[in-house]
Amino acid sequence: MQADDPFLWLEEIEGPRALAWARAENDKTLGALQSDPRYQRFYQEALTILQAKDRIPYVSFGRRGLDNFWQDENHVRGVWRRTTFESYRAQDPRWDTILDLDALAAAEKKNWVFKGGSCLPPEERLCLLNFSEGGKDAVFVREFDADAQAFVTTGFDLPEGKQGVSWIDGDTILIARDWGEGTTTQAGYPFVVKELKRAQPLVEAREVFRGEPTDDGTEPFALRDSEGTVHATGAVRTISTFEYEYVLFGPKGPIKLNLPKKATIGGIASGRLLVTLNEEWTPSGGTRFAAGSIISYDLAEWKQDPLRARPSLVFQPGPRQALSGFSATRNLLILTTLDNVQSKAFVYKYDQDAWRATPIPLPENASIGLPAASNETDEVMFTVSSFLRPTSLWYFDAATERLEILKSIPPRFNASRLVVEQFEATSRDGTRIPYFVVRPKSARFDGSTPTILYGYGGFQIPLLPSYAGVMGRLWLEQGNAYVVANLRGGGEYGPRWHEAAQGATKQRTWDDFIAVAEDLIRRKITSPRRLGVAGGSQGGLLVGTAFTQRPDLFNAAMVEVPLFDMVRFTKLAAGASWTGEYGHPAIPEQREWLEAYSPYQKLVPAKTYPTPFILTSTKDDRVHPAHGRKAAARLAELGQPYFYYENLDGGHSAAANLIEDARRVALEYTYASRRLVDE
């Protein structure tokens, strides 16, 4: 019973007693791990890789050049800078600074963490920038003139909050934020949208839409084409974690679109409105579309009558396929897909009343990302990455079909003695669960290889093969193995793979992870003595269920910014917005299945757990630090050994800059080496 929970006081984020407890725990953990002779070497190697000058400076296409946000030893908080395409192609581009975050933080005596922003199309001179104190999701929004490289003195300036802002024109923005009592949901997100004019006080903003207090939250949007022309404005209600309702603002009042709840508007391409479907849908009198598809509407027809316009198919996945990402250019649509967790990329062109796909000849057996696309041309950039191949950045001009490597990082570790394999484990209900193993070629199949098993398995987010230089240097290069599991609940095979382990069936995610661990042991790749598990956020919950349900399988558990108390998760930070994934503890039937696996309640006397390392952040206003705090306090009460570290800054990433990131990974791999490598 929660009435018997002696650690509720740890839920007070900035409570003096809770902070004193966290600092004392930090002192113990840092004292133990930083005194290990490996720590300092790991920290220096991690920091060198993270701050390396030869990292790829990822950019976005803008009408004024290529923009990049960069952090290194001279720019700890970061610098927003710009270059030309021709300069970017050179080995050492010439950058013009737009905003120096370190200088701004010093001048204003604030612990600023930059959270991006949006610049008003088509000129992209005026920008609404988001600044977080310490890495929280809650941000201050300030208007910035990118040409003058200065904040606009009479500009928009919004106080701290979890808020969504959208430009309408140079003098008008739409805002969803906390407007006072009764305007935020239980999850702490806004559900009231107001319109604010330049120089107008915030208290005079005009309400234009109101969702429901029971929603997860509401965001405003402006639907723009590649020219920056606004074709519609409106709001999207997040009714529950994966269910949405779109409302257009019209002269005669709001129009509720007749899209299914699990659909999202994806923008405009080739004069057509794009919509992704995460559920099967048959429009009235129309064709059936499968879950995981993209559909499109003729924009002119849709604008004339959005409720009667007829959609047509853009993309439909096969049984082992999923949509990975997409982006519109001036004239085309660029799509990336997953086929049995392998990436492919395509150009889609609307021609003669149909979409036609052309493959883009990028390297095979790699993960393909789509970090940048131009509105002015048909140019895009792709990232190509795999476990052992360093990430490269490719440039593609769809108009001319020119394809070339722009940038690549040098190897960060010696991969010549490593091999990647893909296996399948059989879960409790017979479902085949794929996973990747990266191991030494010389590994002996006698269970002796120290192995970290990593997973996530939630929110339809896939885990894909990618190059991780720090992990490779600090773990693989030492002769160890690393495993990535593609669990149900994730997005590796689209919506059905996700829905197979959601709510009442969430235990399947935990079963899948345990099945992969058992399969690794059965193949004698590793053994319980040498096997550790790792994951963050939902993955932290995954690790918590793994070591509480099957403590006999593991000897280490890295629990990062975790969910842990699933009986109280809706009362902590943004937890109420995830009931679509897990269920709601206030509903008796759902509380029953949550209690059946909630790791906090599963920490019981007379049971031995593998010594975990729990990491969280005081400034995490998404997954409350009390989850990790209470897990550690419960273990201490039970007399069980553990490590706990709470970064006082950092937000949900648990690190606000590269120095904090290096410290975090050095602590983790020192811990993993002590638990799994040492005799």
Side-chain angles (χ1 to χ4, degrees):
M1 295 290 291
Q2 285 304 301
D4 299 329
D5 186 348
F7 302 117
L8 292 179
W9 57 274
L10 288 168
E11 295 180 5
E12 191 180 342
I13 293 179
E14 303 278 356
R17 185 184 173 196
L19 285 178
W21 175 90
R23 288 191 176 98
E25 292 290 331
N26 285 357
D27 288 345
K28 282 192 294 186
T29 294
L30 294 177
L33 296 180
Q34 289 183 336
S35 63
D36 188 295
R38 285 167 292 208
Y39 171 81
Q40 198 57 36
R41 175 168 63 87
F42 284 169
Y43 172 75
Q44 289 300 336
E45 289 184 342
L47 191 62
T48 298
I49 290 171
L50 291 170
Q51 292 186 338
K53 291 279 194 276
D54 54 9
R55 284 175 290 148
I56 296 173
Y58 293 105
V59 292
S60 59
F61 285 99
R63 292 178 188 262
R64 294 161 179 264
L66 301 180
D67 285 13
N68 164 257
F69 184 71
W70 184 257
Q71 293 177 316
D72 59 24
E73 70 273 19
N74 299 317
H75 303 98
V76 174
R77 297 175 190 275
V79 58
W80 174 22
R81 57 189 191 169
R82 181 172 290 161
T83 190
T84 64
F85 181 69
E86 285 310 310
S87 177
Y88 185 69
R89 293 181 67 182
Q91 189 171 348
D92 192 14
R94 296 182 309 279
W95 297 96
D96 295 322
T97 296
I98 303 170
L99 179 63
D100 185 326
L101 263 291
D102 295 88
L104 179 70
E108 298 184 347
K109 296 181 171 57
K110 291 283 190 180
N111 184 17
W112 288 137
V113 175
F114 189 49
K115 294 277 188 171
S118 63
C119 298
L120 175 64
E123 296 87 359
E124 297 178 349
R125 176 174 65 88
L126 298 177
C127 305
L128 295 171
L129 303 184
N130 303 316
F131 299 93
S132 161
E133 267 203 282
K136 293 184 288 187
D137 285 354
V139 294
F140 296 80
V141 180
R142 296 161 69 180
E143 187 179 359
F144 186 80
D145 186 323
D147 281 3
Q149 297 178 8
F151 290 101
V152 180
T153 50
T154 57
F156 296 108
D157 191 349
L158 307 182
E160 185 181 41
K162 290 185 177 181
Q163 51 196 324
V165 185
S166 187
W167 284 106
I168 301 302
D169 57 45
D171 293 315
T172 315
I173 60 175
L174 293 175
I175 311 167
R177 61 168 287 117
D178 183 346
W179 301 100
E181 190 175 347
T183 62
T184 60
T185 67
Q186 188 186 345
Y189 293 108
F191 66 89
V192 176
V193 178
K194 296 189 180 185
E195 179 189 271
L196 184 70
K197 295 286 187 180
R198 183 174 297 282
Q200 188 180 30
L202 201 58
V203 292
E204 293 179 13
R206 179 177 68 91
E207 183 173 321
V208 290
F209 183 75
R210 180 174 287 254
E212 297 293 335
T214 52
D215 291 347
D216 281 350
T218 297
E219 288 267 337
F221 69 86
L223 191 61
R224 283 184 165 85
D225 61 21
S226 60
E227 301 287 327
T229 303
V230 176
H231 291 274
T233 60
V236 54
R237 291 174 57 203
T238 304
I239 300 167
S240 67
T241 316
F242 308 105
E243 295 184 323
Y244 307 98
E245 180 182 283
Y246 283 87
V247 176
L248 300 185
F249 301 154
K252 297 178 182 177
I255 302 168
K256 176 183 162 186
L257 295 183
N258 54 352
L259 292 170
K261 286 181 178 176
K262 292 184 180 178
T264 53
I265 291 177
I268 296 169
S270 296
R272 298 184 68 81
L273 176 73
L274 303 170
V275 175
T276 57
L277 301 175
N278 277 321
E279 64 178 295
E280 189 179 288
W281 184 48
T282 305
S284 179
T287 316
R288 183 189 71 83
F289 298 109
S293 299
I294 301 184
I295 59 174
S296 72
Y297 296 83
D298 177 87
L299 184 60
E301 181 189 345
W302 181 83
K303 284 176 68 176
Q304 190 173 352
D305 190 345
L307 301 183
R308 289 185 176 81
R310 289 295 177 91
S312 62
L313 184 68
V314 182
F315 164 81
Q316 179 170 297
R320 301 288 277 181
Q321 292 179 321
L323 173 67
S324 181
F326 65 91
S327 199
T329 64
R330 183 178 177 85
N331 303 298
L332 302 166
L333 176 64
I334 310 296
L335 222 69
T336 56
T337 65
L338 294 177
D339 196 332
N340 204 29
V341 206
Q342 302 288 344
S343 293
K344 299 184 188 312
F346 301 88
V347 174
Y348 275 70
K349 183 176 184 179
Y350 193 76
D351 185 38
Q352 298 178 336
D353 297 330
W355 289 93
R356 304 183 195 285
T358 306
I360 301 170
L362 288 162
E364 296 183 350
N365 301 316
S367 298
I368 296 171
L370 186 53
S374 172
N375 284 329
E376 292 187 284
T377 66
D378 292 319
E379 298 168 291
V380 294
M381 293 184 192
F382 294 102
T383 53
V384 177
S385 182
S386 63
F387 287 117
L388 302 183
R389 179 166 48 193
T391 304
S392 55
L393 183 69
W394 292 63
Y395 165 84
F396 179 63
D397 186 341
T400 63
E401 298 188 358
R402 176 175 153 204
L403 180 66
E404 63 177 283
I405 297 180
L406 272 184
K407 308 272 181 191
S408 59
I409 59 170
R412 303 301 191 197
F413 59 92
N414 182 358
S416 65
R417 295 192 289 270
L418 297 166
V419 65
V420 178
E421 297 164 310
Q422 188 180 26
F423 297 118
E424 288 183 337
T426 302
S427 195
R428 178 183 288 186
D429 64 0
T431 303
R432 293 176 299 132
I433 308 302
Y435 66 94
F436 292 96
V437 176
V438 190
R439 63 165 179 85
K441 292 175 182 174
S442 61
R444 301 191 309 275
F445 293 97
D446 59 1
S448 64
T449 304
T451 302
I452 293 174
L453 168 58
Y454 185 82
Y456 186 77
F459 296 90
Q460 205 175 313
I461 295 170
L463 288 186
L464 306 179
S466 62
Y467 191 77
V470 173
M471 184 274 291
R473 178 75 66 84
L474 273 53
W475 186 250
L476 292 175
E477 217 176 62
Q478 319 303 314
N480 306 320
Y482 190 77
V483 177
V484 173
N486 301 123
L487 314 170
R488 283 176 292 180
E492 289 84 354
Y493 299 113
R496 288 180 181 170
W497 193 247
H498 172 221
E499 290 167 1
Q502 196 181 339
T505 58
K506 193 66 201 165
Q507 177 62 38
R508 287 177 181 163
T509 303
W510 327 139
D511 290 344
D512 293 355
F513 202 46
I514 288 165
V516 173
E518 290 176 328
D519 203 57
L520 290 167
I521 294 164
R522 182 183 64 78
R523 293 177 190 272
K524 296 191 175 179
I525 291 170
T526 189
S527 59
R529 166 68 183 86
R530 300 293 181 189
L531 179 58
V533 275
S537 192
Q538 143 70 25
L541 172 60
L542 171 72
V543 170
T545 61
F547 85 78
T548 53
Q549 292 185 16
R550 288 298 304 276
D552 57 304
L553 288 180
F554 312 106
N555 199 38
M558 288 183 273
V559 193
E560 302 164 341
V561 289
L563 284 151
F564 219 84
D565 183 350
M566 298 306 290
V567 172
R568 284 183 61 79
F569 84 98
T570 53
K571 300 178 185 297
L572 299 172
S577 64
W578 308 319
T579 55
E581 181 74 18
Y582 304 115
H584 203 301
I587 300 169
E589 176 200 7
Q590 298 181 13
R591 183 187 179 97
E592 195 174 318
W593 75 57
L594 288 162
E595 282 182 326
Y597 67 72
S598 180
Y600 181 56
Q601 282 72 28
K602 293 298 174 187
L603 293 172
V604 294
K607 203 168 186 180
T608 302
Y609 303 101
T611 302
F613 183 15
I614 302 163
L615 301 98
T616 187
S617 164
T618 313
K619 291 291 193 290
D620 190 347
D621 54 352
R622 196 179 314 171
V623 176
H624 198 295
H627 284 283
R629 289 173 175 178
K630 289 166 64 176
R634 173 66 60 86
L635 286 163
E637 180 186 48
L638 295 172
Q640 295 272 358
Y642 65 92
F643 293 93
Y644 179 86
Y645 179 70
E646 181 173 321
N647 189 11
L648 299 181
D649 291 319
H652 192 48
S653 65
N657 54 55
L658 301 177
I659 294 169
E660 292 180 5
D661 215 14
R663 180 176 60 203
R664 177 184 61 80
V665 294
L667 289 170
E668 287 184 321
Y669 286 111
T670 301
Y671 157 82
S673 298
R674 286 167 65 127
R675 297 294 305 167
L676 304 176
V677 177
D678 293 354
E679 294 303 328

